[in-house]
Amino acid sequence: MDDWEKWDMHDEIRLTPRERLTLLRIEAGLRQDRRFARRMGEERQGVSLPVSVLLLATASVFAAVMGIRTSDPALLWCFALLWPLTLAQAFRLLCRATRPRPRRRTRARVTPWT
């Protein structure tokens, strides 16, 4: 369902096409603001952070094992550079996993007359 269909569903609100377009532009701008989305609790859950942690951990382990086996200083330096980045990204992933999430309402809202 696109944004125009959402607007057509609400019969009680009548907006001109120009007002609809303006409102859609404002909403698109707000969706692009990551800090606003985070404050509103609607942060998109991407897979980029877990994938980056996995790739960095794999590269770090590879560089460490190959550096120890070959005694190549370049591989050991690669490990020395990759490992702190891996730990930082893993810490961010851990913080994201332990962050309290806002509860979503599963029940319908109770109207004042019931």
Side-chain angles (χ1 to χ4, degrees):
M1 177 184 307
D2 64 351
D3 291 330
W4 289 106
E5 290 174 351
K6 287 180 187 176
W7 283 111
D8 290 337
M9 288 173 42
H10 301 290
D11 292 334
E12 68 271 3
I13 300 173
R14 300 282 182 190
L15 297 175
T16 65
R18 182 178 178 190
E19 291 171 333
R20 288 181 186 180
L21 184 60
T22 303
L23 195 53
L24 288 174
R25 286 181 183 161
I26 291 170
E27 288 176 351
L30 289 174
R31 274 189 233 112
Q32 303 251 334
D33 188 2
R34 292 174 58 186
R35 196 175 338 158
F36 177 74
R38 189 178 311 125
R39 288 175 61 194
M40 296 302 292
E42 298 175 1
E43 187 176 355
R44 287 182 259 172
Q45 297 296 324
V47 295
S48 62
L49 187 58
V51 169
S52 69
V53 170
L54 181 65
L55 290 176
L56 281 170
T58 304
S60 296
V61 169
F62 177 78
V65 169
M66 293 306 292
I68 291 170
R69 286 190 59 158
T70 62
S71 299
D72 186 10
L75 286 172
L76 293 173
W77 277 106
C78 284
F79 171 74
L81 293 174
L82 283 174
W83 187 240
L85 293 174
T86 305
L87 291 179
Q89 291 293 82
F91 181 73
R92 285 183 59 208
L93 185 63
L94 181 65
C95 288
R96 179 191 287 179
T98 58
R99 181 183 316 143
R101 303 207 189 282
R103 291 186 179 184
R104 297 191 186 240
R105 292 186 177 174
T106 55
R107 302 183 298 163
R109 207 172 78 189
V110 178
T111 56
W113 60 83
T114 58

